[in-house]
Amino acid sequence: MNDYLIFILALLVFNWLLSLIVETLNLKNASTEIPGEFVGIYDDEKYAKSQRYLKDTTKFDLVQSAVMLPLTIAFILLGGFSWMNDIAQNTAQSMILQGLVFGGILMLIGQIIGLPFSIYSTFVIEEKFGFNKTTPKTFIADIFKSLLLTVLLGAPIFALILWIFSSVPYAWLWAWAALSIIQLFILFIAPVVILPLFNKFTPLEEGELRSAIEKFAAEQKFTLSGIFKIDGSKRSTKSNAYFTGFGNTKRIALFDTLIENHSTEELVGVLAHEVGHCKRGHIKKTILISMASTLLMFFILSLFISKPGLYAAFGIDGTPLYAGLIFFGFLYAPINMILGLLGTILSRKHEFEADAFAAETTREPTHLISALKKLSVDNLSNLTPHPLKVFLEYSHPPVLDRIKALRKFEG
Ligand SMILES: [Zn+2]
């Protein structure tokens, strides 16, 4: 066994053990007593239901990772990648086409293994708790649309990166520049080209809500290029709101399920939070940080991409670039995890800042607080996650922490 292989296997096992520990701690942290803020909002029965939901989804995640770990290790040790490489080399002549075959097989395997889990999660767990609205037709259409996007966007990008790494000096720098431009372009077109493939965006109708949102935006000198209602109810009763795009494709999208269950004041509170993300420069910052971390990744990739040991670890003779890009992903996982951790720390800080912006600009935090409470109850969110789980995975602070911070703005 070579050093790369030992390192990668140890990493896979370590990650699995870590998630096992975190999830166990998280389950133990659930308390049957309703937290003070939620007394009167949750009744005992619904609160117990939220805890059953936590248990079921956690168990599901643990089973999935317990299946994926041995499958991944067996695939590596039994020469799965070398088998894929043989197919790629027998199918195509050029390295780039071989890469597309190799990547395509890997994607199909991933899809096939993921499918039963995805079906179970949507049609058994989400169904059991009354969230699921996805019809089998929508479910299948979603799979094909995602595959189509992967083929139309993913394949050319993968081919471009392969071409750069096989023909251009300082490939890591050029690959980074090319990918960054493409990512910005995708972010720009996503709201008008990609997202409408999955959801229907309807301009929010004239009326009390639209006027209230426009009044708030005008007060904040915030140009909204579109306020849309999207049909989240097509897939789930869970609700959400988000901003997409930037520049003149910038849109606010409110789930129909959110609009249904919240008052106008609460919705303006939610919108103010989203506007806060823009006004405080969070979106720009996040894009810049992601570009910087991509640069780091490509640089480290350039150090390992021609090491025969990395390929030998996966049973491959020679150094076919397309396989190296995939193998590097295994090697890079720890750095990726650390960067991801820093990213979630920053994201939680941004959430507090956006909440503070909403509290200051709407002059009272009450409505955002009640919106957050309703969202938690409607989505059966875990109110008492374990601090380690929050530290490792939460992009948003736990709702009780957000409410506590918002209460400080009460007049
Ligand atoms: Zn936010």
Side-chain angles (χ1 to χ4, degrees):
M1 245 189 222
N2 81 14
D3 290 348
Y4 287 102
L5 183 57
I6 294 170
F7 178 74
I8 286 165
L9 293 180
L11 212 65
L12 288 170
V13 175
F14 169 81
N15 276 341
W16 179 74
L17 278 175
L18 181 66
S19 75
L20 188 65
I21 292 168
V22 172
E23 296 306 333
T24 313
L25 286 174
N26 198 42
L27 279 182
K28 284 216 173 110
N29 211 46
S31 117
T32 48
E33 200 180 314
I34 302 175
E37 284 281 359
F38 282 81
V39 172
I41 298 175
Y42 256 131
D43 57 43
D44 285 339
E45 196 198 329
K46 186 139 196 214
Y47 190 61
K49 186 178 169 192
S50 81
Q51 300 206 320
R52 285 200 305 277
Y53 183 57
L54 174 70
K55 238 180 242 167
D56 281 14
T57 48
T58 306
K59 253 196 257 163
F60 172 77
D61 290 342
L62 290 177
V63 169
Q64 182 168 15
S65 61
V67 172
M68 288 307 290
L69 178 75
L71 273 183
T72 311
I73 293 178
F75 193 77
I76 297 174
L77 294 181
L78 297 175
F81 285 103
S82 146
W83 165 76
M84 278 168 48
N85 191 40
D86 288 344
I87 297 180
Q89 297 194 336
N90 290 331
T91 318
Q93 287 294 319
S94 86
M95 188 276 290
I96 290 175
L97 284 179
Q98 291 171 353
L100 292 178
V101 173
F102 190 87
I105 300 173
L106 193 60
M107 191 191 74
L108 276 181
I109 295 176
Q111 279 283 341
I112 292 166
I113 297 175
L115 192 61
F117 291 107
S118 167
I119 292 174
Y120 189 84
S121 163
T122 307
F123 296 104
V124 178
I125 299 182
E126 296 293 299
E127 184 76 39
K128 177 174 156 195
F129 288 90
F131 289 128
N132 182 42
K133 294 275 175 214
T134 313
T135 59
K137 194 179 146 207
T138 306
F139 185 83
I140 293 166
D142 281 354
I143 293 176
F144 281 102
K145 286 177 199 167
S146 311
L147 280 174
L148 186 74
L149 274 181
T150 312
V151 172
L152 291 181
L153 288 173
I157 294 173
F158 192 55
L160 177 66
I161 289 172
L162 287 175
W163 177 77
I164 293 174
F165 269 91
S166 60
S167 354
V168 182
Y170 293 103
W172 58 277
L173 205 54
W174 288 109
W176 169 74
L179 193 64
S180 296
I181 292 167
I182 295 169
Q183 274 174 334
L184 285 179
F185 178 70
I186 292 176
L187 268 178
F188 190 74
I189 62 157
V192 273
V193 180
I194 300 176
L195 298 173
L197 285 176
F198 295 92
N199 280 101
K200 203 160 99 199
F201 285 73
T202 329
L204 188 63
E205 61 267 26
E206 296 295 330
E208 190 202 349
L209 177 59
R210 193 177 176 104
S211 313
I213 289 176
E214 280 168 349
K215 181 166 162 262
F216 175 81
E219 274 170 18
Q220 301 308 317
K221 299 192 174 44
F222 186 81
T223 339
L224 268 176
S225 44
I227 311 166
F228 290 85
K229 180 162 113 170
I230 73 166
D231 56 345
S233 59
K234 185 176 160 187
R235 295 191 183 80
S236 174
T237 62
K238 289 182 178 174
S239 49
N240 208 343
Y242 62 85
F243 252 112
T244 67
F246 55 92
N248 51 17
T249 64
K250 193 170 61 195
R251 310 172 145 193
I252 172 95
L254 300 166
F255 277 44
D256 50 0
T257 42
L258 186 82
I259 296 174
E260 242 163 64
N261 298 333
H262 291 75
S263 70
T264 298
E265 286 94 347
E266 287 166 343
L267 289 166
V268 171
V270 172
L271 176 97
H273 169 99
E274 298 299 335
V275 171
H277 279 308
C278 274
K279 285 271 181 183
R280 294 281 182 258
H282 296 162
I283 297 170
K284 261 183 235 156
K285 256 188 240 170
T286 312
I287 293 174
L288 286 176
I289 291 172
S290 130
M291 283 169 72
S293 61
T294 311
L295 182 63
L296 177 72
M297 184 199 72
F298 275 123
F299 175 68
I300 299 178
L301 168 73
S302 73
L303 303 178
F304 287 96
I305 195 73
S306 46
K307 302 262 190 244
L310 177 62
Y311 297 79
F314 292 87
I316 289 187
D317 298 327
T319 55
L321 209 51
Y322 47 83
L325 289 183
I326 309 290
F327 300 157
F328 175 74
F330 284 91
L331 205 58
Y332 193 65
I335 300 180
N336 206 18
M337 188 181 156
I338 293 166
L339 291 176
L341 261 179
L342 296 176
T344 53
I345 292 172
L346 186 69
S347 163
R348 291 194 297 267
K349 184 172 164 273
H350 285 168
E351 291 306 320
F352 280 128
E353 287 174 13
D355 281 348
F357 178 90
E360 281 163 9
T361 52
T362 57
R363 285 174 288 276
E364 49 171 330
T366 330
H367 300 306
L368 182 55
I369 291 176
S370 68
L372 287 175
K373 286 183 181 177
K374 275 191 194 170
L375 273 170
S376 299
V377 174
D378 292 345
N379 296 346
L380 294 178
S381 311
N382 181 11
L383 299 183
T384 54
H386 191 274
L388 185 62
K389 171 96 175 166
V390 176
F391 177 73
L392 292 175
E393 294 171 22
Y394 270 45
S395 64
H396 287 56
V399 68
L400 289 172
D401 293 357
R402 290 176 72 181
I403 294 173
K404 203 168 133 197
L406 277 167
R407 292 249 179 252
K408 293 191 185 128
F409 291 91
E410 273 171 342

